[in-house]
Amino acid sequence: MPSSEHAGGPAAVAVLDNDPFAARALAAVLSHDPRHFHVMWWSSSAPEAIQRCLHARELPQVLVCDIALSGMTGMDVCATIRKAGSRIGVVLVTAYDPKEYVADAVSVGAQAVLGKDEAMHGLMEAVQKAAAGRGVCGCPDVSAVAGPGRNEGGPRVVPRLSERERAVMRFFAKGMKADDIAERLDLSRNTVMTYSHRALRKLHAENREEAMEKCGRYDLFK
Protein backbone atom coordinates (compact mmCIF):
# COMPACT_ATOMS: atom_id res chain seq x y z
CA MET A 1 0.00 0.00 0.00
CA PRO A 2 1.34 3.46 -0.87
CA SER A 3 2.60 5.54 1.98
CA SER A 4 1.01 8.87 2.87
CA GLU A 5 2.68 11.79 1.05
CA HIS A 6 0.67 14.70 2.43
CA ALA A 7 -1.18 15.72 5.52
CA GLY A 8 -4.89 16.35 5.90
CA GLY A 9 -6.49 13.10 4.78
CA PRO A 10 -6.83 11.42 1.40
CA ALA A 11 -5.71 13.17 -1.76
CA ALA A 12 -8.57 14.84 -3.65
CA VAL A 13 -8.43 13.55 -7.22
CA ALA A 14 -10.25 14.24 -10.48
CA VAL A 15 -10.12 12.05 -13.59
CA LEU A 16 -10.36 13.08 -17.25
CA ASP A 17 -10.53 10.51 -20.04
CA ASN A 18 -12.11 10.74 -23.49
CA ASP A 19 -13.67 7.31 -22.90
CA PRO A 20 -16.25 7.38 -20.08
CA PHE A 21 -15.64 3.70 -19.34
CA ALA A 22 -11.89 4.32 -19.00
CA ALA A 23 -12.55 7.36 -16.80
CA ARG A 24 -14.72 5.29 -14.48
CA ALA A 25 -12.12 2.52 -14.43
CA LEU A 26 -9.33 4.91 -13.41
CA ALA A 27 -11.60 6.43 -10.77
CA ALA A 28 -12.41 2.95 -9.48
CA VAL A 29 -8.72 2.07 -9.14
CA LEU A 30 -8.17 5.06 -6.87
CA SER A 31 -11.46 4.74 -5.00
CA HIS A 32 -10.39 1.23 -4.03
CA ASP A 33 -8.09 2.88 -1.47
CA PRO A 34 -10.26 5.51 0.28
CA ARG A 35 -7.65 5.96 3.00
CA HIS A 36 -5.31 7.65 0.52
CA PHE A 37 -7.57 8.85 -2.32
CA HIS A 38 -10.90 10.64 -2.65
CA VAL A 39 -12.14 10.84 -6.25
CA MET A 40 -14.12 14.08 -6.40
CA TRP A 41 -15.35 13.63 -9.96
CA TRP A 42 -14.55 12.20 -13.37
CA SER A 43 -15.27 13.65 -16.79
CA SER A 44 -14.93 12.84 -20.49
CA SER A 45 -14.99 16.55 -21.46
CA ALA A 46 -11.72 18.50 -21.48
CA PRO A 47 -13.37 21.97 -21.31
CA GLU A 48 -15.53 20.87 -18.38
CA ALA A 49 -12.53 19.42 -16.56
CA ILE A 50 -10.48 22.58 -17.07
CA GLN A 51 -13.35 24.70 -15.77
CA ARG A 52 -13.75 22.53 -12.68
CA CYS A 53 -10.01 22.46 -12.01
CA LEU A 54 -9.72 26.22 -12.16
CA HIS A 55 -13.03 27.66 -10.97
CA ALA A 56 -14.98 25.16 -8.87
CA ARG A 57 -15.56 25.96 -5.21
CA GLU A 58 -13.65 22.82 -4.21
CA LEU A 59 -10.62 22.02 -6.32
CA PRO A 60 -8.86 18.68 -6.71
CA GLN A 61 -5.25 18.31 -5.64
CA VAL A 62 -4.48 16.09 -8.61
CA LEU A 63 -5.92 15.67 -12.10
CA VAL A 64 -5.36 12.26 -13.70
CA CYS A 65 -5.65 13.00 -17.42
CA ASP A 66 -5.53 10.84 -20.53
CA ILE A 67 -3.26 12.23 -23.24
CA ALA A 68 -5.66 11.33 -26.07
CA LEU A 69 -8.77 13.53 -25.91
CA SER A 70 -11.27 14.99 -28.37
CA GLY A 71 -10.40 18.44 -29.70
CA MET A 72 -7.28 18.81 -27.59
CA THR A 73 -4.69 16.63 -25.90
CA GLY A 74 -3.92 16.01 -22.26
CA MET A 75 -0.78 18.08 -22.84
CA ASP A 76 -3.02 20.99 -23.88
CA VAL A 77 -5.14 20.55 -20.75
CA CYS A 78 -2.06 20.63 -18.54
CA ALA A 79 -0.65 23.65 -20.39
CA THR A 80 -3.96 25.52 -19.89
CA ILE A 81 -3.99 24.72 -16.18
CA ARG A 82 -0.39 25.87 -15.78
CA LYS A 83 -1.01 29.05 -17.77
CA ALA A 84 -3.70 29.93 -15.23
CA GLY A 85 -1.14 29.55 -12.43
CA SER A 86 -2.83 26.51 -10.88
CA ARG A 87 -0.83 24.33 -8.50
CA ILE A 88 -2.93 21.21 -9.15
CA GLY A 89 -0.74 18.18 -9.74
CA VAL A 90 -1.22 16.60 -13.17
CA VAL A 91 -0.64 12.92 -13.86
CA LEU A 92 -0.87 12.06 -17.57
CA VAL A 93 -1.77 8.55 -18.72
CA THR A 94 -1.53 6.95 -22.16
CA ALA A 95 -2.29 3.65 -23.85
CA TYR A 96 1.05 3.91 -25.67
CA ASP A 97 4.66 3.90 -24.51
CA PRO A 98 4.89 6.68 -21.88
CA LYS A 99 8.61 7.19 -22.60
CA GLU A 100 7.64 8.83 -25.90
CA TYR A 101 5.81 11.60 -24.04
CA VAL A 102 8.11 12.44 -21.14
CA ALA A 103 9.71 15.44 -22.88
CA ASP A 104 6.31 16.92 -23.76
CA ALA A 105 5.00 16.21 -20.25
CA VAL A 106 7.96 18.06 -18.75
CA SER A 107 7.45 20.99 -21.13
CA VAL A 108 3.84 21.55 -19.98
CA GLY A 109 4.55 21.05 -16.28
CA ALA A 110 3.01 17.63 -15.63
CA GLN A 111 4.21 15.64 -12.62
CA ALA A 112 4.12 12.20 -14.26
CA VAL A 113 3.29 10.34 -17.46
CA LEU A 114 2.32 6.69 -17.12
CA GLY A 115 1.11 3.84 -19.28
CA LYS A 116 -2.45 2.77 -18.54
CA ASP A 117 -1.15 -0.71 -17.81
CA GLU A 118 0.50 0.83 -14.74
CA ALA A 119 -2.92 1.68 -13.35
CA MET A 120 -2.48 0.10 -9.94
CA HIS A 121 0.69 0.67 -7.91
CA GLY A 122 2.33 3.03 -10.40
CA LEU A 123 -0.71 5.28 -10.65
CA MET A 124 -1.29 5.37 -6.91
CA GLU A 125 2.32 6.29 -6.21
CA ALA A 126 2.36 9.01 -8.88
CA VAL A 127 -0.92 10.53 -7.65
CA GLN A 128 0.28 10.63 -4.05
CA LYS A 129 3.52 12.30 -5.04
CA ALA A 130 1.68 14.79 -7.27
CA ALA A 131 -0.66 15.61 -4.38
CA ALA A 132 2.46 16.42 -2.36
CA GLY A 133 3.72 18.60 -5.20
CA ARG A 134 6.38 16.16 -6.34
CA GLY A 135 7.17 14.95 -9.84
CA VAL A 136 8.27 11.44 -10.81
CA CYS A 137 9.97 9.82 -13.80
CA GLY A 138 11.94 12.97 -14.59
CA CYS A 139 8.91 15.29 -14.42
CA PRO A 140 9.10 18.53 -12.41
CA ASP A 141 7.74 19.38 -8.98
CA VAL A 142 4.65 21.60 -8.98
CA SER A 143 6.59 24.46 -7.36
CA ALA A 144 8.90 24.60 -10.38
CA VAL A 145 6.13 25.05 -12.95
CA ALA A 146 3.09 26.61 -11.24
CA GLY A 147 2.27 29.92 -9.65
CA PRO A 148 2.08 33.59 -10.63
CA GLY A 149 4.35 34.60 -13.48
CA ARG A 150 5.08 31.07 -14.68
CA ASN A 151 4.10 29.76 -18.13
CA GLU A 152 2.50 33.09 -19.01
CA GLY A 153 2.84 32.34 -22.68
CA GLY A 154 1.03 29.04 -22.35
CA PRO A 155 3.32 26.41 -23.86
CA ARG A 156 2.28 25.22 -27.29
CA VAL A 157 2.90 21.49 -27.41
CA VAL A 158 3.73 20.47 -30.97
CA PRO A 159 3.77 16.73 -31.65
CA ARG A 160 7.08 15.44 -33.00
CA LEU A 161 6.67 13.79 -36.40
CA SER A 162 9.60 12.43 -38.39
CA GLU A 163 10.39 13.85 -41.83
CA ARG A 164 8.86 10.77 -43.49
CA GLU A 165 5.72 10.95 -41.33
CA ARG A 166 5.28 14.60 -42.28
CA ALA A 167 5.79 13.84 -45.97
CA VAL A 168 3.24 11.02 -45.93
CA MET A 169 0.62 13.15 -44.16
CA ARG A 170 1.33 16.07 -46.48
CA PHE A 171 0.68 13.92 -49.56
CA PHE A 172 -2.48 12.45 -48.04
CA ALA A 173 -3.67 16.02 -47.40
CA LYS A 174 -3.16 16.74 -51.11
CA GLY A 175 -5.55 13.92 -51.94
CA MET A 176 -2.98 11.36 -53.02
CA LYS A 177 -3.61 7.65 -52.53
CA ALA A 178 -1.29 5.37 -50.58
CA ASP A 179 -0.03 3.67 -53.76
CA ASP A 180 0.79 7.03 -55.34
CA ILE A 181 2.61 8.19 -52.20
CA ALA A 182 4.59 4.97 -52.15
CA GLU A 183 5.71 5.53 -55.73
CA ARG A 184 6.51 9.19 -55.07
CA LEU A 185 8.64 8.41 -51.99
CA ASP A 186 10.08 5.16 -53.38
CA LEU A 187 8.56 3.15 -50.54
CA SER A 188 6.32 0.13 -50.29
CA ARG A 189 2.62 0.71 -49.66
CA ASN A 190 2.92 -1.06 -46.31
CA THR A 191 5.70 1.32 -45.27
CA VAL A 192 3.56 4.31 -46.22
CA MET A 193 0.72 2.97 -44.09
CA THR A 194 3.13 2.35 -41.20
CA TYR A 195 4.23 6.01 -41.30
CA SER A 196 0.57 7.04 -41.44
CA HIS A 197 -0.35 4.95 -38.40
CA ARG A 198 2.63 6.30 -36.47
CA ALA A 199 1.58 9.86 -37.25
CA LEU A 200 -1.98 9.17 -36.08
CA ARG A 201 -0.68 7.73 -32.83
CA LYS A 202 1.66 10.66 -32.15
CA LEU A 203 -1.11 13.14 -32.97
CA HIS A 204 -3.65 11.24 -30.85
CA ALA A 205 -5.97 11.26 -33.85
CA GLU A 206 -8.78 8.77 -34.30
CA ASN A 207 -8.61 8.85 -38.10
CA ARG A 208 -6.59 10.31 -40.96
CA GLU A 209 -8.91 13.30 -41.40
CA GLU A 210 -8.38 14.35 -37.78
CA ALA A 211 -4.63 13.77 -38.16
CA MET A 212 -4.48 16.02 -41.22
CA GLU A 213 -6.45 18.71 -39.40
CA LYS A 214 -3.96 18.58 -36.52
CA CYS A 215 -1.01 18.66 -38.92
CA GLY A 216 -2.42 21.88 -40.36
CA ARG A 217 -3.03 23.32 -36.89
CA TYR A 218 0.55 22.61 -35.81
CA ASP A 219 2.15 23.65 -39.14
CA LEU A 220 3.50 20.15 -39.68
CA PHE A 221 3.02 20.18 -43.45
CA LYS A 222 6.07 22.39 -43.96
Side-chain angles (χ1 to χ4, degrees), residues 34-90:
R35 178 185 173 190
H36 295 98
F37 309 106
H38 166 57
V39 178
M40 298 179 64
W41 50 264
W42 64 265
S43 177
S44 57
S45 167
E48 176 192 9
I50 291 171
Q51 176 72 16
R52 296 178 77 169
C53 283
L54 296 179
H55 304 298
R57 179 172 296 178
E58 295 186 7
L59 303 178
Q61 292 172 279
V62 180
L63 174 66
V64 177
C65 180
D66 190 15
I67 292 178
L69 303 169
S70 293
M72 63 194 310
T73 69
M75 304 292 182
D76 297 324
V77 171
C78 185
T80 300
I81 288 173
R82 291 291 173 252
K83 182 180 179 181
S86 171
R87 294 182 177 274
I88 291 174
V90 178

Side-chain angles (χ1 to χ4, degrees), residues 65-154:
C65 180
D66 190 15
I67 292 178
L69 303 169
S70 293
M72 63 194 310
T73 69
M75 304 292 182
D76 297 324
V77 171
C78 185
T80 300
I81 288 173
R82 291 291 173 252
K83 182 180 179 181
S86 171
R87 294 182 177 274
I88 291 174
V90 178
V91 173
L92 298 171
V93 294
T94 176
Y96 301 109
D97 184 356
K99 294 184 181 67
E100 295 187 15
Y101 304 106
V102 171
D104 288 339
V106 170
S107 73
V108 296
Q111 280 55 69
V113 55
L114 304 171
K116 286 188 175 180
D117 57 356
E118 301 177 72
M120 285 299 291
H121 177 74
L123 177 62
M124 290 180 172
E125 180 181 2
V127 169
Q128 282 203 308
K129 289 185 182 299
R134 295 168 55 191
V136 298
C137 304
C139 291
D141 292 349
V142 172
S143 61
V145 294
R150 298 187 184 275
N151 295 322
E152 292 181 349

